[in-house]
Amino acid sequence: KAGVTQTPRYLIKTRGQQVTLSCSPISGHRSVSWYQQTPGQGLQFLFEYFSETQRNKGNFPGRFSGRQFSNSRSEMNVSTLELGDSALYLCASSSTGDRSNEQFFGPGTRLTVL
Amino acid sequence: AQTVTQSQPEMSVQEAETVTLSCTYDTSESDYYLFWYKQPPSRQMILVIRQEAYKQQNATENRFSVNFQKAAKSFSLKISDSQLGDAAMYFCAYRERTSGSRLTFGEGTQLTVNP
């Protein structure tokens, strides 16, 4: 079974631009969560999608948004990029979103904002 | 809000020896999950071990075991017979039963294994 995939793996953008990151969960998984990892703030939860609906949202500004498609693939978008948005963005999928199921993480997308 | 604290930014251990990583958490909930994740230099997060709060028995996975003290809100990870491949950043994480898949992570502990 293929693992969680994230594209692109690396991205360089300039301030003010927008970016879209993609996450393909493990086949059959319906829940996708996104996390931001930075040296200063650590790992922070962005949002979770389950069956195309946002189920949970972290404390991030409205510039951060996401969506999930009918095949469970998810995208997150960051508009008007700031230097502080430079981070590793991780997504994780789980089979039903149920509390007892393990989350499988992707390799991450490294975003650099110049 | 739930918080997770790892008070040891760095730890080191000699190969084949045992090391314990500490984690404390704060929550008003009684039903939740606790996890230890490993993040090697490749940055791929890997689940090491999981504990359900309603289970009194401490979880064990091969060389990895936990000491779960619910009243003290403590969740430490013991690695026995440490191997070079255990070197990584270790994160303690918390998840409520009713919050979907949302994880709250600690700051992490960088583990070095010396040959």
Side-chain angles (χ1 to χ4, degrees), chain A residues 5-69:
Chain A
T5 58
Q6 292 187 245
T7 56
R9 293 293 311 278
Y10 302 91
L11 208 48
I12 299 175
K13 292 285 187 179
T14 57
R15 278 181 299 175
Q17 287 187 311
Q18 74 164 17
V19 67
T20 299
L21 312 182
S22 180
C23 173
S24 292
I26 292 171
S27 178
H29 286 195
R30 292 164 61 191
S31 168
V32 174
S33 299
W34 288 89
Y35 295 85
Q36 181 196 64
Q37 185 174 22
T38 61
Q41 299 298 317
L43 279 152
Q44 293 186 291
F45 173 79
L46 280 156
F47 29 65
E48 178 197 2
Y49 285 87
F50 179 73
S51 294
E52 303 179 62
T53 301
Q54 187 179 84
R55 183 159 73 170
N56 260 309
K57 189 177 188 308
N59 296 324
F60 278 81
R63 300 186 298 107
F64 292 81
S65 62
R67 59 178 174 168
Q68 187 179 34
F69 302 94

Side-chain angles (χ1 to χ4, degrees), chain B residues 24-95:
Chain B
T24 58
Y25 58 95
D26 186 26
T27 182
S28 57
E29 301 293 323
S30 60
D31 203 5
Y32 49 86
Y33 292 95
L34 294 164
F35 306 86
W36 279 98
Y37 280 90
K38 167 185 176 181
Q39 188 179 43
S42 67
R43 294 300 197 179
Q44 180 80 49
M45 293 284 278
I46 302 163
L47 178 66
V48 175
I49 199 165
R50 151 180 47 203
Q51 176 79 42
E52 294 162 320
Y54 68 87
K55 289 186 177 178
Q56 292 186 335
Q57 186 173 6
N58 289 324
T60 300
E61 288 287 343
N62 301 314
R63 297 182 296 106
F64 299 87
S65 61
V66 299
N67 183 3
F68 173 49
Q69 301 290 327
K70 191 171 183 179
K73 297 179 182 175
S74 169
F75 183 61
S76 61
L77 173 70
K78 185 171 83 170
I79 306 174
S80 303
D81 186 26
S82 297
Q83 301 175 0
L84 295 177
D86 294 334
M89 181 72 87
Y90 285 80
F91 292 96
C92 178
Y94 164 98
R95 173 176 150 187

Side-chain angles (χ1 to χ4, degrees), chain A residues 53-88:
Chain A
T53 301
Q54 187 179 84
R55 183 159 73 170
N56 260 309
K57 189 177 188 308
N59 296 324
F60 278 81
R63 300 186 298 107
F64 292 81
S65 62
R67 59 178 174 168
Q68 187 179 34
F69 302 94
S70 59
N71 62 357
S72 294
R73 188 178 71 86
S74 178
E75 289 181 347
M76 67 165 282
N77 182 274
V78 188
S79 61
T80 319
L81 283 166
E82 301 177 358
L83 295 178
D85 297 332
S86 294
L88 180 68

